[in-house]
Amino acid sequence: MKTRRSDRLIDMTSYLLDHPRELISLPFFVKRYDSAKSSISEDLAIIKRTFAVRGLGVIQTLPGAAGGVQYLPGVNSEIAGDFLKLMTLKLAEKERLLPGGYLYLSDLLGNPLYLKMIGRLIAAQYVDQQVDAVMTVATKGIPIAQSVATCLGVPFVIVRRDAKITEGATVSVNYVSASSSRIEKMELSKRSLAEGAHVVIVDDFMKGGGTIHGMHDLLKEFSASLVGITVFAEASFAGQRVESDYTSLLNVVAVDTQNSEIKVELGNYLDKLSD
Amino acid sequence: MKTRRSDRLIDMTSYLLDHPRELISLPFFVKRYDSAKSSISEDLAIIKRTFAVRGLGVIQTLPGAAGGVQYLPGVNSEIAGDFLKLMTLKLAEKERLLPGGYLYLSDLLGNPLYLKMIGRLIAAQYVDQQVDAVMTVATKGIPIAQSVATCLGVPFVIVRRDAKITEGATVSVNYVSASSSRIEKMELSKRSLAEGAHVVIVDDFMKGGGTIHGMHDLLKEFSASLVGITVFAEASFAGQRVESDYTSLLNVVAVDTQNSEIKVELGNYLDKLSD
C-alpha cells in the first residue's frame, strides 16, 4: 500500500532501530512503502538528522548498486556521562555490600532500561569494526552480552563453568580465578563460535581478570580474534589485573566492610570514547 | 528547541519503543519538543495509526490530569504465525540432535532478532495485565526472560540451581526434576523479588515441568502471585506435565534418535492468543 511520509518515518525508525548495522537496500523500502526512491532518500535524510540531534546514533547511506542504508547505534558523551554518574551512585549504595566484600548487582543487571543503556554504551565502541559475536560467561554476564549483541546485530555466546548435556561437544580451557586463587575450568560449545570469528568479550565484574583471561584463551582455541574487552565494573582495589587492555564503565575503588562504605568512580569508558 | 513534526515523529517513535507500558504525560513531550499540546496529540494519532497498521502494538491515550500516552507492545497473528512456522523448521533441523535426545538451542537463543520476536510474542499475552517481574531459571531461560521483561518494561529475576555468594540471602525450594527423577534445589535472592509481586514465569524448554513447578513453588515463598507461564518449547513426547496451565510457542512432538528426526509442531500459543 502507498504510504504517507509520516507513516514511513515512523515505520522506518522502528525498522532501523530493530536492525542495527544491517545494510538495508533502498529498493527494500521502496517496495515496503510503494514509494519513489527519491521520497525514501528524503525520509532517510530526515531520520539521519533527528538521530544525530537526539544522540540515537548514525544513519549511514552507502551509494551504488550494492549500497543501502545502515543504522549504527551510538551514544553522545553527555548522555553516556549522565548515565554513568547515575550508575556510580547506584553502585555505591551501602545495601549492596555482602559478606566478604562482594556487591549485589542483580537488580541493576535485571533492569531492562539500564541494560539497554549499558548495551548502547558498550556497543558504541565497536560499532564501526567487524564483530561477529559477543562472548560472556554465565550467569551475570549474560544480560550484558545480550544487550550489546542486540545493539550490534550479532549473536552472543555463553561460556559455562558447568557445561550441560544440552551444549553438545565443547572446547574447554583452565583459568586461574584470581579472587579464589584456584584453577577452574570453563567450556564453550564447539558449534557456537565459527573459526576465525571477531569477538567482543563482556562481563559484569572484573576483579583479578582471571575469568576474562580464560575467555581470551578460549578464543585462541577457536582461532578467533579479540576485538575488545569491556566490563560493567572493575574492582581496582583488587590489585594487579591479568588483562591490561580493557574498558570499564565503572570502577569500584574501595570497599570498606567495617563501615559499610563502597567507593565508586567512573571507569575508563569516557576517556576511551573520546580517544 | 522547537521541532518539526517529522523530527517529533521519529524521536517519539524511538522513545515510545524504548519505554513500553510506561505512562508518559503529554506535558513531558510538550517540553521535550517545545511544541503545543495539540500538535503532540496529532503526532500521537499518526503514530497510533501506523503502529496499528504495521502490527507494532497499541498506542493508548488516557485522558485527564493523571493521563498520558502508553505504548503496549503487541504482535498480529500473521507476523506471529510466520515467525513460529520459521521456528518449527529451525527446531526440526537434525543437526540439533544431541546424545540422549537433547536438542541444541543455543544458536536460536543467542540470536537477538529471534529473541526480540520471542519476547514480543510472549509479552503480548500479558501486556494488559499487572506484571511486576519476569522470572526464569539460569542459564538458558535468561535471554528469554530479558526479552520479555524488556517488552513489558519490568525487571527480570534469575532463579539459580547454584546460588553464588554474590546473591546475598536466598530463599530455596526443592523440586523434582522429572527428566532425571531426582530431587534438586533452586534458590532466589531474597531481595530480588518484592512480596506480593505479580510474576510471569518463562523458560526455554519444558519436559516434565518440574523446574517450572519449582519456580511456581518459589513464588509462594515470596507471597507472589503467578500471572502466567510461557515456554519457548515443550516436549510433549515426555509425557504428563506437572503444570497444566501454560503457553508454549513450539511443541516437540517426537525425537527419533535412531533416524535423527525431530518432529516439531506449533505450541498452543496461537490458540491462546485468539482466545
Side-chain angles (χ1 to χ4, degrees), chain A residues 209-254:
Chain A
T211 309
I212 299 275
H213 195 66
M215 285 192 270
H216 198 162
D217 275 348
L218 208 41
L219 287 189
K220 293 170 198 155
E221 298 302 320
F222 282 84
S223 307
S225 63
L226 179 68
V227 179
I229 298 168
T230 302
V231 296
F232 175 63
E234 64 172 312
S236 61
F237 67 85
Q240 205 63 26
R241 232 51 47 78
V242 193
E243 292 282 345
S244 56
D245 191 11
Y246 61 87
T247 306
S248 61
L249 303 192
L250 307 169
N251 183 358
V252 181
V253 179

Side-chain angles (χ1 to χ4, degrees), chain B residues 92-212:
Chain B
E93 291 164 350
K94 62 170 75 163
E95 299 75 29
R96 302 199 172 277
L97 206 51
L98 297 171
Y102 288 90
L103 298 184
Y104 182 79
L105 295 178
S106 300
D107 58 330
L108 302 179
L109 301 181
N111 179 315
L113 263 183
Y114 293 165
L115 282 169
K116 265 188 209 165
M117 274 304 288
I118 292 168
R120 272 176 70 189
L121 262 61
I122 296 179
Q125 300 179 100
Y126 309 115
V127 87
D128 48 11
Q129 293 175 61
Q130 186 183 344
V131 179
D132 303 307
V134 176
M135 174 186 271
T136 193
V137 67
T139 305
K140 287 215 187 45
I142 299 175
I144 296 177
Q146 181 168 352
S147 292
V148 176
T150 301
C151 262
L152 291 174
V154 299
F156 59 97
V157 299
I158 302 169
V159 175
R160 300 184 62 147
R161 295 184 175 93
D162 58 335
K164 290 283 194 298
I165 199 164
T166 50
E167 295 296 322
T170 62
V171 175
S172 78
V173 296
N174 295 314
Y175 69 101
V176 182
S177 166
S179 36
S180 67
S181 301
R182 275 188 321 208
I183 293 185
E184 310 201 44
K185 188 174 157 179
M186 56 167 73
E187 304 179 65
L188 180 62
S189 170
K190 212 169 168 187
R191 60 174 99 180
S192 69
L193 194 63
E195 266 210 12
H198 296 73
V199 179
V200 168
I201 292 177
V202 300
D203 206 358
D204 62 326
F205 205 78
M206 178 164 75
K207 286 186 116 170
T211 308
I212 298 275

Side-chain angles (χ1 to χ4, degrees), chain A residues 79-93:
Chain A
I79 294 175
D82 286 350
F83 175 73
L84 291 176
K85 251 172 267 165
L86 171 69
M87 285 298 109
T88 60
L89 297 178
K90 289 268 175 199
L91 208 59
E93 292 163 350

Side-chain angles (χ1 to χ4, degrees), chain B:
Chain B
M1 104 207 92
K2 198 133 187 147
T3 49
R4 287 187 254 186
R5 162 140 299 148
S6 55
D7 292 321
R8 290 198 306 268
L9 290 177
I10 293 164
D11 187 64
M12 266 182 176
T13 298
S14 158
Y15 193 90
L16 289 165
L17 291 173
D18 253 359
H19 296 81
R21 300 209 316 157
E22 193 179 309
L23 186 63
I24 304 155
S25 74
L26 293 204
F28 171 82
F29 283 132
V30 166
K31 196 177 160 209
R32 187 176 176 98
Y33 305 123
D34 189 15
S35 299
K37 203 167 167 178
S38 57
S39 305
I40 301 292
S41 292
E42 284 165 33
D43 297 341
L44 289 170
I46 297 170
I47 293 177
K48 182 178 185 149
R49 189 184 57 213
T50 302
F51 272 42
V53 170
R54 296 282 167 187
L56 292 169
V58 174
I59 299 292
Q60 195 163 273
T61 35
L62 304 172
V69 60
Q70 207 178 16
Y71 161 54
L72 304 181
V75 67
N76 65 38
S77 50
E78 193 191 328
I79 294 176
D82 286 351
F83 176 71
L84 291 176
K85 250 171 268 166
L86 171 69
M87 285 298 110
T88 59
L89 297 177
K90 289 266 175 200
L91 208 59
E93 291 164 350
K94 62 170 75 163
E95 299 75 29
R96 302 199 172 277
L97 206 51
L98 297 171
Y102 288 90
L103 298 184
Y104 182 79
L105 295 178
S106 300
D107 58 330
L108 302 179
L109 301 181
N111 179 315
L113 263 183
Y114 293 165
L115 282 169
K116 265 188 209 165
M117 274 304 288
I118 292 168
R120 272 176 70 189
L121 262 61
I122 296 179
Q125 300 179 100
Y126 309 115
V127 87
D128 48 11
Q129 293 175 61
Q130 186 183 344
V131 179
D132 303 307
V134 176
M135 174 186 271
T136 193
V137 67
T139 305
K140 287 215 187 45
I142 299 175
I144 296 177
Q146 181 168 352
S147 292
V148 176
T150 301
C151 262
L152 291 174
V154 299
F156 59 97
V157 299
I158 302 169
V159 175
R160 300 184 62 147
R161 295 184 175 93
D162 58 335
K164 290 283 194 298
I165 199 164
T166 50
E167 295 296 322
T170 62
V171 175
S172 78
V173 296
N174 295 314
Y175 69 101
V176 182
S177 166
S179 36
S180 67
S181 301
R182 275 188 321 208
I183 293 185
E184 310 201 44
K185 188 174 157 179
M186 56 167 73
E187 304 179 65
L188 180 62
S189 170
K190 212 169 168 187
R191 60 174 99 180
S192 69
L193 194 63
E195 266 210 12
H198 296 73
V199 179
V200 168
I201 292 177
V202 300
D203 206 358
D204 62 326
F205 205 78
M206 178 164 75
K207 286 186 116 170
T211 308
I212 298 275
H213 195 66
M215 287 193 269
H216 197 164
D217 275 347
L218 208 41
L219 286 188
K220 292 170 197 155
E221 298 301 321
F222 282 83
S223 307
S225 63
L226 178 68
V227 179
I229 298 167
T230 302
V231 295
F232 175 63
E234 64 172 312
S236 62
F237 67 85
Q240 203 65 24
R241 231 53 45 79
V242 193
E243 293 281 345
S244 56
D245 191 10
Y246 61 86
T247 306
S248 60
L249 302 192
L250 306 170
N251 184 359
V252 181
V253 180
V255 171
D256 178 348
T257 43
Q258 287 237 305
N259 302 303
S260 289
E261 275 178 8
I262 309 163
K263 192 158 176 253
V264 184
E265 295 177 355
L266 294 177
N268 62 8
Y269 177 81
L270 291 175
D271 302 332
K272 289 221 165 196
L273 197 68
S274 57
D275 274 357

Side-chain angles (χ1 to χ4, degrees), chain A residues 143-204:
Chain A
I144 297 177
Q146 182 168 352
S147 292
V148 176
T150 301
C151 262
L152 291 174
V154 298
F156 59 97
V157 299
I158 303 170
V159 176
R160 302 185 61 148
R161 295 182 175 94
D162 58 333
K164 291 283 194 297
I165 200 166
T166 49
E167 296 296 323
T170 62
V171 175
S172 78
V173 296
N174 295 314
Y175 69 103
V176 182
S177 166
S179 37
S180 68
S181 300
R182 275 189 319 208
I183 294 187
E184 309 201 46
K185 188 174 157 180
M186 56 167 70
E187 304 178 66
L188 180 62
S189 169
K190 212 167 168 189
R191 62 173 98 182
S192 69
L193 195 62
E195 266 210 14
H198 296 74
V199 179
V200 168
I201 291 178
V202 300
D203 206 358
D204 62 326

